[in-house]
mmCIF file of all heavy atoms in Angstrom:
data_model
loop_
_atom_site.group_PDB
_atom_site.id
_atom_site.type_symbol
_atom_site.label_atom_id
_atom_site.label_comp_id
_atom_site.label_asym_id
_atom_site.label_seq_id
_atom_site.Cartn_x
_atom_site.Cartn_y
_atom_site.Cartn_z
ATOM 1 N N ALA A 77 -9.963 -46.791 7.169
ATOM 2 C CA ALA A 77 -10.018 -47.125 5.734
ATOM 3 C C ALA A 77 -10.785 -48.416 5.522
ATOM 4 O O ALA A 77 -10.711 -49.354 6.327
ATOM 5 C CB ALA A 77 -8.602 -47.277 5.178
ATOM 6 N N ASP A 78 -11.465 -48.488 4.386
ATOM 7 C CA ASP A 78 -12.259 -49.659 4.036
ATOM 8 C C ASP A 78 -11.355 -50.671 3.317
ATOM 9 O O ASP A 78 -11.041 -50.517 2.117
ATOM 10 C CB ASP A 78 -13.425 -49.249 3.151
ATOM 11 C CG ASP A 78 -14.416 -50.380 2.969
ATOM 12 O OD1 ASP A 78 -14.196 -51.457 3.584
ATOM 13 O OD2 ASP A 78 -15.367 -50.223 2.196
ATOM 14 N N LEU A 79 -10.881 -51.698 4.026
ATOM 15 C CA LEU A 79 -9.964 -52.695 3.449
ATOM 16 C C LEU A 79 -10.670 -53.746 2.612
ATOM 17 O O LEU A 79 -10.014 -54.526 1.910
ATOM 18 C CB LEU A 79 -9.182 -53.393 4.575
ATOM 19 C CG LEU A 79 -8.305 -52.480 5.436
ATOM 20 C CD1 LEU A 79 -7.628 -53.306 6.528
ATOM 21 C CD2 LEU A 79 -7.262 -51.774 4.575
ATOM 22 N N ARG A 80 -11.966 -53.738 2.676
ATOM 23 C CA ARG A 80 -12.679 -54.783 1.945
ATOM 24 C C ARG A 80 -12.535 -54.649 0.444
ATOM 25 O O ARG A 80 -12.587 -55.624 -0.301
ATOM 26 C CB ARG A 80 -14.165 -54.760 2.345
ATOM 27 C CG ARG A 80 -14.405 -55.277 3.762
ATOM 28 C CD ARG A 80 -15.866 -55.188 4.138
ATOM 29 N NE ARG A 80 -16.291 -53.779 4.181
ATOM 30 C CZ ARG A 80 -17.540 -53.381 4.453
ATOM 31 N NH1 ARG A 80 -18.470 -54.296 4.710
ATOM 32 N NH2 ARG A 80 -17.849 -52.104 4.494
ATOM 33 N N LYS A 81 -12.290 -53.435 -0.038
ATOM 34 C CA LYS A 81 -12.171 -53.270 -1.492
ATOM 35 C C LYS A 81 -10.822 -53.780 -2.015
ATOM 36 O O LYS A 81 -10.667 -53.952 -3.224
ATOM 37 C CB LYS A 81 -12.347 -51.819 -1.862
ATOM 38 C CG LYS A 81 -11.298 -50.895 -1.244
ATOM 39 C CD LYS A 81 -11.559 -49.468 -1.635
ATOM 40 C CE LYS A 81 -10.531 -48.515 -1.008
ATOM 41 N NZ LYS A 81 -10.801 -47.120 -1.407
ATOM 42 N N PHE A 82 -9.822 -54.031 -1.141
ATOM 43 C CA PHE A 82 -8.534 -54.571 -1.586
ATOM 44 C C PHE A 82 -8.462 -56.093 -1.462
ATOM 45 O O PHE A 82 -7.539 -56.710 -1.992
ATOM 46 C CB PHE A 82 -7.383 -53.965 -0.757
ATOM 47 C CG PHE A 82 -7.282 -52.476 -0.896
ATOM 48 C CD1 PHE A 82 -7.701 -51.635 0.127
ATOM 49 C CD2 PHE A 82 -6.782 -51.911 -2.064
ATOM 50 C CE1 PHE A 82 -7.592 -50.268 0.007
ATOM 51 C CE2 PHE A 82 -6.681 -50.538 -2.174
ATOM 52 C CZ PHE A 82 -7.090 -49.694 -1.145
ATOM 53 N N ILE A 83 -9.374 -56.676 -0.776
ATOM 54 C CA ILE A 83 -9.301 -58.121 -0.531
ATOM 55 C C ILE A 83 -9.516 -58.917 -1.819
ATOM 56 O O ILE A 83 -8.763 -59.849 -2.148
ATOM 57 C CB ILE A 83 -10.326 -58.522 0.548
ATOM 58 C CG1 ILE A 83 -9.933 -57.885 1.885
ATOM 59 C CG2 ILE A 83 -10.371 -60.036 0.687
ATOM 60 C CD1 ILE A 83 -10.928 -58.150 3.000
ATOM 61 N N LYS A 84 -10.481 -58.555 -2.602
ATOM 62 C CA LYS A 84 -10.809 -59.314 -3.810
ATOM 63 C C LYS A 84 -9.675 -59.271 -4.849
ATOM 64 O O LYS A 84 -9.275 -60.321 -5.384
ATOM 65 C CB LYS A 84 -12.114 -58.791 -4.400
ATOM 66 C CG LYS A 84 -12.611 -59.619 -5.576
ATOM 67 C CD LYS A 84 -13.981 -59.132 -6.017
ATOM 68 C CE LYS A 84 -14.495 -59.975 -7.177
ATOM 69 N NZ LYS A 84 -15.818 -59.534 -7.651
ATOM 70 N N PRO A 85 -9.114 -58.070 -5.198
ATOM 71 C CA PRO A 85 -7.975 -58.067 -6.145
ATOM 72 C C PRO A 85 -6.772 -58.860 -5.635
ATOM 73 O O PRO A 85 -6.085 -59.515 -6.417
ATOM 74 C CB PRO A 85 -7.643 -56.589 -6.284
ATOM 75 C CG PRO A 85 -8.891 -55.881 -5.921
ATOM 76 C CD PRO A 85 -9.537 -56.707 -4.867
ATOM 77 N N ALA A 86 -6.540 -58.783 -4.315
ATOM 78 C CA ALA A 86 -5.415 -59.535 -3.765
ATOM 79 C C ALA A 86 -5.620 -61.033 -3.927
ATOM 80 O O ALA A 86 -4.684 -61.780 -4.263
ATOM 81 C CB ALA A 86 -5.212 -59.170 -2.303
ATOM 82 N N ILE A 87 -6.848 -61.475 -3.706
ATOM 83 C CA ILE A 87 -7.143 -62.909 -3.868
ATOM 84 C C ILE A 87 -6.956 -63.332 -5.320
ATOM 85 O O ILE A 87 -6.398 -64.396 -5.630
ATOM 86 C CB ILE A 87 -8.565 -63.218 -3.367
ATOM 87 C CG1 ILE A 87 -8.650 -62.998 -1.848
ATOM 88 C CG2 ILE A 87 -8.967 -64.637 -3.724
ATOM 89 C CD1 ILE A 87 -10.040 -63.144 -1.283
ATOM 90 N N VAL A 88 -7.420 -62.477 -6.264
ATOM 91 C CA VAL A 88 -7.298 -62.809 -7.695
ATOM 92 C C VAL A 88 -5.834 -62.888 -8.100
ATOM 93 O O VAL A 88 -5.398 -63.826 -8.796
ATOM 94 C CB VAL A 88 -8.053 -61.770 -8.546
ATOM 95 C CG1 VAL A 88 -7.789 -62.004 -10.025
ATOM 96 C CG2 VAL A 88 -9.544 -61.838 -8.255
ATOM 97 N N LEU A 89 -5.051 -61.884 -7.677
ATOM 98 C CA LEU A 89 -3.617 -61.890 -8.027
ATOM 99 C C LEU A 89 -2.910 -63.090 -7.420
ATOM 100 O O LEU A 89 -2.045 -63.719 -8.051
ATOM 101 C CB LEU A 89 -2.964 -60.590 -7.552
ATOM 102 C CG LEU A 89 -3.382 -59.309 -8.293
ATOM 103 C CD1 LEU A 89 -2.745 -58.094 -7.652
ATOM 104 C CD2 LEU A 89 -3.012 -59.394 -9.770
#
Side-chain angles (χ1 to χ4, degrees):
D78 190 3
L79 299 178
R80 288 178 295 178
K81 61 181 179 180
F82 299 105
I83 294 176
K84 186 174 181 181
I87 294 174
V88 173
L89 291 176

